[in-house]
Amino acid sequence: MVPHLRTTLTGELSEIEQKMLASTPMIERWFRMEWQEHTPPFYSSVDLRNAGFKLAPVDTNLYPCGFNNLAEEMYPLATQAAMAAVEKYCPDAKNLLIIPERRSLNPFYLQNVAKLSKILRLTGLNVRLGSWADDLTTPCEIKLPSGESLTLEPLERNGRRITLDGGRFDPCTILLNNNLSDGQPNILQNIKEQILLPPLHAGWTTRRKSVHLKAYDEVVKKFAKFIDMDPWLLNPFHAQTSGFDANTKANEEELTHHVEAVFKKVNKKYKEYGISNKPFLVIKSNARDCDHHLMTVHSVEDIKKLNFKQFHKIADANQSMGLDAHELLIQEGVPTTETWAEKTAEPVVYMIDRYVVGGFYRINAQRGANESLYSKDMSFEPLSFVKESERHADDLGTLHNRFYPYGVVGRLAMLAASLELEKTDPNPDNQIS
């Protein structure tokens, strides 16, 4: 089930909320049956957009780095879920190694690592941190603003195993909190005697957003049929192009064709549901996690007016990783109706194994409802449990778990990630059943 957490929503339930809350027993059974066939990622997070008429994921992260943004009261849930996840891969686990981003000095990210370490230590595991950074040759203590400290140690390769401290720390499970945007290091290649989570092919060196979205199409189509719902209400339309060149404008016709096709489908749905909003599309990289480099278009004509500096930013980011500079994803934009203290907000759902363990709001006073909230101006507000004393009988909205639909859509995206990893696994025989 999904914890009953606060949301910014009040008043009458939307049709999507009503449908999901009325179908809770069916939905939970559906998920149980799906997890008999698929293995969830060790952990994941999903950014959502609630437009009122539509509730959909806009990003699925397999290396979540915002555990410090969860409410403190969520940690028992997270610990229980982490224990179930670890036991699935290594029932007799004693030691666990976390590999964070290489020598990151971002204090917010490091607090995330500290919280993640805390969750895993509460499961009874010995947890240590390691890095393959070339300039790390001895253990390095990092002080955090909270007063805590982290010790980062150099990784060692002993045959087919990764160890620390001259082999004295030998983990059965290695947890990556590094999305491999800098590539797959040699030291992590061909590990056969330990469990690496997520697997290497989940990193942005090889991962493509379009593959995930196609898996999500498959999941949502099946789910929506099961509960008798239009899948579009939970799923943005999308397309991809790989030949556009911002310098020469080569294949601009292909890009324009895809934009026109997606707009046509969105406009048809808006007309079907009587939606007065003006639709928009988002163009972003298909090949890495860089949603701060994206463009918004409101018509096909906007393609000819685009600021091509943005295209160059996407291309440069891709080329720095040795990726196709021209892999673009065109995705239906989903506005957010939610605000926090009159600031634009969007919910983020956090999961460990197949369980929702909490969430928070990403907030940005400098961005509008149709814009990405990911920028230096963003902030976060943790979502805590709704207390019985806070539920008022005269407010229909607070009588229900309004976070539940967010948890459902988050788990649909997580299930899609499971299919995605299965389909892209270079060694499918190694999958955990």
Side-chain angles (χ1 to χ4, degrees):
M1 287 291 291
V2 175
H4 194 149
L5 304 183
R6 289 189 178 94
T7 71
T8 68
L9 305 178
T10 58
E12 292 188 11
L13 298 172
S14 68
E15 290 186 14
I16 296 175
E17 290 176 305
Q18 290 176 15
K19 185 72 173 180
M20 288 191 179
L21 290 167
S23 306
T24 297
M26 292 173 55
I27 291 173
E28 294 306 312
R29 181 178 182 276
W30 186 86
F31 274 117
R32 286 194 295 271
M33 298 299 290
E34 289 297 315
W35 292 128
Q36 290 182 25
E37 302 294 329
H38 306 286
T39 301
F42 181 86
Y43 55 8
S44 58
S45 66
V46 178
D47 297 355
L48 302 176
R49 284 294 185 104
N50 186 351
F53 60 86
K54 182 171 189 147
L55 174 61
V58 293
D59 188 50
T60 301
N61 190 351
L62 299 181
Y63 302 87
C65 56
F67 282 97
N68 55 308
N69 296 321
L70 297 181
E72 194 71 23
E73 59 191 300
M74 295 297 111
Y75 287 99
L77 272 180
T79 299
Q80 188 175 22
M83 188 177 298
V86 171
E87 289 176 352
K88 182 183 301 180
Y89 292 97
C90 190
D92 59 347
K94 178 181 177 183
N95 300 326
L96 184 141
L97 171 66
I98 299 176
I99 301 180
E101 293 180 6
R102 291 198 302 167
R103 300 303 297 273
S104 173
L105 297 179
N106 183 317
F108 299 105
Y109 173 73
L110 293 173
Q111 289 176 55
N112 154 73
V113 175
K115 295 298 186 181
L116 178 59
S117 301
K118 173 184 175 181
I119 290 169
L120 292 166
R121 287 194 178 99
L122 288 173
T123 69
L125 293 169
N126 298 316
V127 179
R128 289 165 73 167
L129 309 177
S131 172
W132 68 83
D134 294 335
D135 57 347
L136 183 68
T137 56
T138 58
C140 174
E141 185 178 13
I142 304 172
K143 296 290 187 181
L144 303 182
S146 62
E148 300 174 277
S149 65
L150 299 173
T151 300
L152 196 60
E153 304 177 64
L155 297 180
E156 307 162 345
R157 184 65 184 252
N158 289 318
R160 292 187 173 184
R161 301 185 70 85
I162 298 292
T163 61
L164 301 177
D165 193 19
R168 284 180 284 274
F169 184 80
D170 189 351
C172 76
T173 305
I174 301 168
L175 181 62
L176 283 171
N177 198 241
N178 180 319
N179 64 20
L180 304 180
S181 59
D182 294 329
Q184 298 178 359
N186 290 332
I187 197 170
L188 296 183
Q189 301 286 342
N190 300 313
I191 295 176
K192 303 296 183 181
E193 299 175 359
Q194 293 164 304
I195 302 295
L196 182 64
L197 300 170
L200 289 180
H201 67 280
W204 284 115
T205 308
T206 55
R207 192 180 180 213
R208 296 294 182 271
K209 294 179 182 179
S210 57
V211 176
H212 174 78
L213 292 178
K214 289 175 182 176
Y216 187 75
D217 289 344
E218 181 180 336
V219 168
V220 170
K221 184 178 180 180
K222 183 177 180 180
F223 174 79
K225 182 178 180 180
F226 182 76
I227 66 167
D228 190 25
M229 176 183 284
D230 182 350
W232 175 75
L233 298 175
L234 306 174
N235 191 12
F237 289 127
H238 59 91
Q240 67 181 101
T241 180
S242 59
F244 180 73
D245 189 318
N247 292 310
T248 65
K249 293 193 177 182
N251 289 328
E252 183 178 348
E253 289 185 3
E254 180 187 353
L255 175 62
T256 302
H257 167 74
H258 286 303
V259 168
E260 187 174 25
V262 176
F263 263 126
K264 185 176 181 180
K265 291 194 289 186
V266 176
N267 279 317
K268 183 178 179 180
K269 283 294 183 181
Y270 273 36
K271 184 177 181 180
E272 177 184 343
Y273 285 94
I275 299 167
S276 59
N277 300 46
K278 185 177 181 180
F280 66 99
L281 306 184
V282 173
I283 301 175
K284 53 188 174 181
S285 171
N286 186 35
R288 72 172 282 159
D289 187 18
C290 58
D291 281 354
H292 49 295
H293 295 322
L294 54 78
M295 293 154 288
T296 301
V297 295
H298 295 89
S299 68
V300 177
E301 289 71 28
D302 285 350
I303 293 295
K304 297 179 181 180
K305 307 173 187 176
L306 283 175
N307 179 356
F308 288 99
K309 290 182 179 179
Q310 288 295 97
F311 279 114
H312 287 300
K313 288 181 180 180
I314 294 176
D316 291 344
N318 287 351
Q319 286 177 325
S320 69
M321 296 170 54
L323 301 174
D324 184 347
H326 314 305
E327 287 192 48
L328 298 178
L329 185 73
I330 301 113
Q331 190 171 12
E332 173 191 349
V334 182
T336 176
T337 59
E338 297 197 69
T339 60
W340 187 288
E342 300 183 353
K343 301 174 183 177
T344 309
E346 65 184 10
V348 182
V349 178
Y350 263 59
M351 292 158 287
I352 296 179
D353 197 66
R354 59 192 180 99
Y355 306 102
V356 175
V357 299
F360 53 84
Y361 275 107
R362 178 181 288 109
I363 300 166
N364 196 322
Q366 306 303 315
R367 297 292 177 91
N370 290 1
E371 297 178 283
S372 169
L373 304 189
Y374 190 95
S375 77
K376 64 180 181 180
D377 299 308
M378 64 183 173
S379 60
F380 306 94
E381 285 290 343
L383 300 181
S384 56
F385 289 112
V386 173
K387 298 180 175 62
E388 287 294 331
S389 60
E390 297 173 331
R391 305 185 194 182
H392 304 294
D394 60 345
D395 186 346
L396 177 64
T398 60
L399 295 176
H400 303 281
N401 184 356
R402 301 194 77 151
F403 190 79
Y404 180 76
Y406 294 157
V408 170
V409 176
R411 287 182 291 168
L412 290 174
M414 175 174 56
L415 179 57
S418 300
L419 270 66
E420 172 194 357
L421 295 180
E422 291 169 10
K423 293 177 179 180
T424 57
D425 190 349
N427 300 297
D429 293 338
N430 294 335
Q431 293 177 13
I432 301 293
S433 59

